[in-house]
Amino acid sequence: MAGRFTVSRVSFPFDLRIKRFLVIRPANPGHWALLIALVLAFVSFRAFGQYPSTPQIFKDGTALAIEDYASAPISSMTTAAYPPATNYGNYLGRLNFLRSEPANAPRTSERFFVNDLNRNLYVLTKSNKTFTIYINFEEVYPKFVNYPGYSGGIVTFAFDPDYASNGKFYTIHTENPARSGSAVPTNGSLHGFNVTGYTLTPAVNPPAGTVVREAVLVEWTDTNINNATFEGTARELLRLGCNNVIHPMGDLAFNPLAHPGDSDYGNLYIAAGEGGAGEVAGATHTTPQRLDTLHGKILRITPDTNAHPADGLAANGRYRIPTTGPDPNPFVSLTLTNLKKEIFAYGFKNPHRLSWDPPSNKIFVTDIGLSSWEEVNIIVKGANYGYAEREGIEQVFIGGSNNEKTGSQTTPPTPFPNPDSLTVTGIVGSVTPRYPVAAYSHREGDGITSGFVYRGSLMPQMDGKYFFGDITTARLFYSQLSDLIASDDSNRTNLAPIHELQVVYNGVERRLYDLVRDEFVHKGGIRPSGGVLPGNGGGLRTDGIDPYGVAYGGGRADIRLAMPGDGEIYILSKSDGMIRRLVAAIAPPVLQAQPGTNGLVTLIWASISNHHYRLQYKSSVLDTNWTDLSGDVTATNSVATKTDALSAATRFYRVVLLP
Ligand SMILES: [Ca+2]
Ligand SMILES: [Ca+2]
Ligand SMILES: [Ca+2]
């Protein structure tokens, strides 16, 4: 790695990334303080085959300005009676998704929709940032459950591609089937909801294990999308039983490139978690690898049963499955008892977020790992993504003395299977798992957020970069889309480099974790130990220190990313109930070195005209002090240069933008 930063007379690299200072100049200089941020290193996280012993991701100097966007009403989980008392010792608003109505809907420019897992789907008015309850799921569904947290509650929602004309949208919520009484919804508080004729569907349960939760997919039809209230009907499409309170169906998407008449138009893609089945030893462990169950899969269904009448109907009769035409689901011809033809891709643990980048036509799924690896996957129809036999780029073991360890963490290390193959019941021969295109270890965090390829307008420097982050630590990352695509090969160790982003709030570089903690405290949040964030009763916790040596303080910032119809990146937090927006970016200056004769080297960097720059150097990366190169540079255009006579074999440079 060190060679990447080395300027050497003997072996001269032609495209160097060198340690450097980055100065963030706000759009409004009178408003923000000038900030100087030290860029620690740039690390290419590419060639390794085992669990790393140290953090591998570092800030590359790309800085993003973040602003508060909207603050949701404080809400609490229902641990006993409803409505619950506000619990300031836990999450203050479990925001999970922020979406826009389709672009042709009449009010899409005025408002977003946002859900708080605890119970409400809100309309968020952009002009005054007010939250209006659209549907309170807890008051509609008698068996609705948001406790003990995780993904429980009103999980997500998605608008039909024809929403502007048919008013249809889809939701997923969780229920506790052990509750007595009927699960049929009521309209006592949602008066516009016509429940006449609403009938339940039988739960589709996993092939093994007990069921403690049901994730319910519902299709709603609002007969008037010009107001902020619901009036209309709903239809239950699918009820999925889960072994545990974790990893239900997590995300919904439609193909953004399909047009009316295309075979994929109106098909709903569902990211379905394994319900906790895979992460325990025993009969449920193989569930993500089984094609006779919907769990741990990406599913594809056609909600409109009239759309493709030749296609097969679901077992419950509520939707069709693409079984005919030019692009049927991949396993529709398999011979297997209880085959689930809805399966589009399989072998996932908690594929909790799915995004589709139209320009590249790539589907990205972030799969939260168990104890070792977090994954970004590019979805290919029919592929096996390896869980619960693979995690990240390694083999993973569940149960026994190696429980939750990956191959390189066992004693002695377990060699990676060669050739790498899995046996899948129903498929003749062996299956080679498909590997993530980017992955990070739990040296970096605990659970991967949603991710999106940025195509918005506020941060043109970030166009085509895939944004994601870590849920608990609130570290923000990006990978180049081209790197992700180039890594989508049969080489498990060829992964896209991951870069960490700096976050600037009111002109000061801050950790997003600290911004969330401050707002949590500001809103009255308290923890028994004082001043730290909540964290699911001892679940994943950001104890310890960050890669830069600063302690977190416990708990979890619990962030997720959103990219609604305006194409910008918003960051939601369950802990403080805030929505923040990334509003500007400054890409890092790449310092290039061009060798000359007689030991001269010319350093070249992107500059801003009429700004003043100073070059500094040191001979060893371990040196504490930088030495000024005499003669500051005033840029006259977008490229500035400075020539130095190398007197040592190695010299490290950085460029400082002067105030
Ligand atoms: Ca309405
Ligand atoms: Ca995987
Ligand atoms: Ca690869």
Side-chain angles (χ1 to χ4, degrees):
M1 267 316 112
R4 180 171 282 274
F5 309 109
T6 303
V7 178
S8 161
R9 280 174 190 250
V10 182
S11 168
F12 211 101
F14 284 86
D15 182 11
L16 300 176
R17 286 178 181 270
I18 297 176
K19 286 195 164 214
R20 58 202 173 254
F21 268 126
L22 169 68
V23 174
I24 298 159
R25 279 190 180 281
N28 179 353
H31 189 67
W32 290 358
L34 193 68
L35 180 91
I36 298 178
L38 175 61
V39 178
L40 286 172
F42 174 90
V43 172
S44 175
F45 192 47
R46 187 175 281 271
F48 58 87
Q50 62 183 28
Y51 198 72
S53 57
T54 57
Q56 305 289 307
I57 303 173
F58 296 96
K59 297 169 184 170
D60 74 352
T62 306
L64 306 177
I66 193 168
E67 288 182 354
D68 295 339
Y69 183 78
S71 177
I74 292 176
S75 73
S76 299
M77 284 181 265
T78 309
T79 54
Y82 175 79
T86 301
N87 180 359
Y88 286 96
N90 212 315
Y91 297 121
L92 299 182
R94 296 166 59 225
L95 302 183
N96 213 31
F97 280 86
L98 172 74
R99 298 198 200 263
S100 295
E101 295 158 287
N104 59 347
R107 297 187 64 183
T108 188
S109 64
E110 302 166 28
R111 63 191 191 181
F112 292 126
F113 282 69
V114 57
N115 71 306
D116 174 343
L117 279 152
N118 283 341
R119 58 191 61 83
N120 289 328
L121 177 57
Y122 290 107
V123 173
L124 169 55
T125 304
K126 294 180 186 178
S127 60
N128 58 13
K129 309 296 193 293
T130 55
F131 291 73
T132 304
I133 297 173
Y134 181 60
I135 299 174
N136 177 333
F137 279 72
E138 191 157 26
E139 293 184 350
V140 169
Y141 286 97
K143 297 193 178 186
F144 176 89
V145 63
N146 53 32
Y147 185 77
Y150 305 107
S151 296
I154 163 63
V155 180
T156 189
F157 60 98
F159 294 97
D160 190 273
D162 286 330
Y163 169 82
S165 56
N166 66 17
K168 289 188 192 300
F169 61 96
Y170 304 85
T171 62
I172 293 168
H173 71 272
T174 58
E175 297 188 4
N176 181 357
R179 287 212 182 132
S180 60
S182 170
V184 173
T186 62
N187 59 5
S189 70
L190 190 66
H191 304 301
F193 181 16
N194 178 2
V195 296
T196 306
Y198 188 109
T199 53
L200 306 173
T201 62
V204 181
N205 287 328
T210 55
V211 168
V212 302
R213 286 290 184 271
E214 290 173 359
V216 187
L217 173 63
V218 176
E219 176 194 78
W220 300 78
T221 302
D222 190 331
T223 56
N224 178 8
I225 59 171
N226 283 291
N227 58 22
T229 55
F230 179 81
E231 46 282 312
T233 56
R235 195 168 67 92
E236 184 170 307
L237 294 187
L238 176 64
R239 179 172 286 266
L240 196 65
C242 295
N243 292 138
N244 206 326
V245 297
I246 51 177
H247 316 163
M249 290 187 279
D251 204 352
L252 300 167
F254 290 91
N255 181 343
L257 295 171
H259 296 100
D262 293 348
S263 64
D264 207 23
Y265 189 74
N267 285 339
L268 179 61
Y269 291 73
I270 306 167
E274 39 75 287
E279 64 183 53
V280 290
T284 69
H285 175 72
T286 57
T287 293
Q289 287 288 311
R290 292 176 64 151
L291 298 176
D292 58 356
T293 170
L294 299 174
H295 304 75
K297 311 295 187 315
I298 306 301
L299 311 173
R300 182 170 68 167
I301 67 170
T302 311
D304 181 0
T305 56
N306 298 317
H308 303 286
D311 279 351
L313 265 181
N316 67 14
R318 298 293 173 92
Y319 56 88
R320 288 192 191 274
I321 301 167
T323 54
T324 67
D327 176 33
N329 277 0
F331 301 115
V332 296
S333 306
L334 231 53
T335 302
L336 177 69
T337 304
N338 291 325
L339 171 69
K340 295 292 183 280
K341 296 183 179 180
E342 292 93 333
I343 296 169
F344 186 81
Y346 67 112
F348 297 97
K349 177 176 180 281
N350 184 13
H352 68 136
R353 294 296 191 273
L354 186 160
S355 72
W356 198 316
D357 176 47
S360 65
N361 194 20
K362 297 293 184 190
I363 305 171
F364 293 93
V365 162
T366 49
D367 193 12
I368 295 182
L370 183 49
S371 296
S372 300
W373 290 100
E374 301 300 311
E375 302 180 357
V376 179
N377 296 286
I378 291 179
I379 299 306
V380 173
K381 186 168 89 169
N384 180 347
Y385 289 80
Y387 197 75
E389 306 303 320
R390 305 286 177 270
E391 183 182 344
I393 59 166
E394 293 197 87
Q395 190 172 6
V396 65
F397 301 94
I398 309 290
S401 58
N402 288 326
N403 188 35
E404 300 192 14
K405 289 179 180 172
T406 58
S408 67
Q409 297 177 91
T410 63
T411 307
T414 307
F416 192 77
N418 183 23
D420 188 12
S421 68
L422 296 170
T423 301
V424 179
T425 303
I427 294 179
V428 177
S430 62
V431 176
T432 303
R434 199 160 186 107
Y435 305 116
V437 292
Y440 66 87
S441 82
H442 282 202
R443 301 278 181 212
E444 315 288 351
D446 301 300
I448 191 168
T449 66
S450 36
F452 299 92
V453 179
Y454 183 71
R455 305 288 182 182
S457 57
L458 291 177
M459 304 181 286
Q461 307 92 323
M462 306 305 288
D463 184 67
K465 291 177 170 58
Y466 179 80
F467 279 73
F468 59 109
D470 185 64
I471 291 174
T472 60
T473 63
R475 294 175 73 188
L476 291 182
F477 306 130
Y478 78 90
S479 287
Q480 301 281 4
L481 174 61
S482 55
D483 287 339
L484 293 170
I485 292 172
S487 304
D488 190 17
D489 56 16
S490 59
N491 181 354
R492 71 188 168 94
T493 64
N494 175 28
L495 292 166
I498 298 174
H499 314 259
E500 182 165 12
L501 294 155
Q502 290 168 261
V503 172
V504 179
Y505 179 75
N506 282 339
V508 178
E509 187 187 7
R510 299 290 308 277
R511 288 190 309 194
L512 183 52
Y513 175 91
D514 295 333
L515 292 178
V516 172
R517 180 204 58 207
D518 287 356
E519 184 62 24
F520 174 76
V521 172
H522 176 247
K523 283 187 168 177
I526 45 170
R527 293 290 293 164
S529 53
V532 297
L533 289 165
N536 270 350
L540 297 175
R541 292 173 64 90
T542 48
D543 292 329
I545 59 171
D546 72 13
Y548 312 98
V550 182
Y552 282 110
R556 35 200 285 179
D558 233 307
I559 61 159
R560 47 271 290 126
L561 274 56
M563 196 172 81
D566 64 4
E568 302 303 334
I569 301 283
Y570 293 74
I571 299 172
L572 286 55
S573 166
K574 287 162 78 171
S575 297
D576 68 356
M578 283 292 292
I579 300 173
R580 297 175 172 85
R581 181 166 64 156
L582 300 176
V583 294
I586 299 177
V590 177
L591 194 53
Q592 288 186 295
Q594 197 171 72
T597 54
N598 301 323
L600 292 176
V601 56
T602 299
L603 297 139
I604 307 163
W605 66 96
S607 60
I608 306 167
S609 192
N610 292 321
H611 284 63
H612 311 290
Y613 298 88
R614 178 173 298 161
L615 258 292
Q616 297 180 321
Y617 68 90
K618 56 186 179 181
S619 298
S620 164
V621 74
L622 300 175
D623 288 350
T624 309
N625 297 320
W626 293 87
T627 304
D628 291 349
L629 212 58
S630 68
D632 293 340
V633 176
T634 299
T636 55
N637 54 43
S638 61
V639 177
T641 65
K642 176 78 178 172
T643 299
D644 184 27
L646 278 182
S647 58
T650 300
R651 190 167 264 190
F652 297 84
Y653 293 94
R654 68 181 182 185
V655 60
V656 179
L657 176 56
L658 302 174

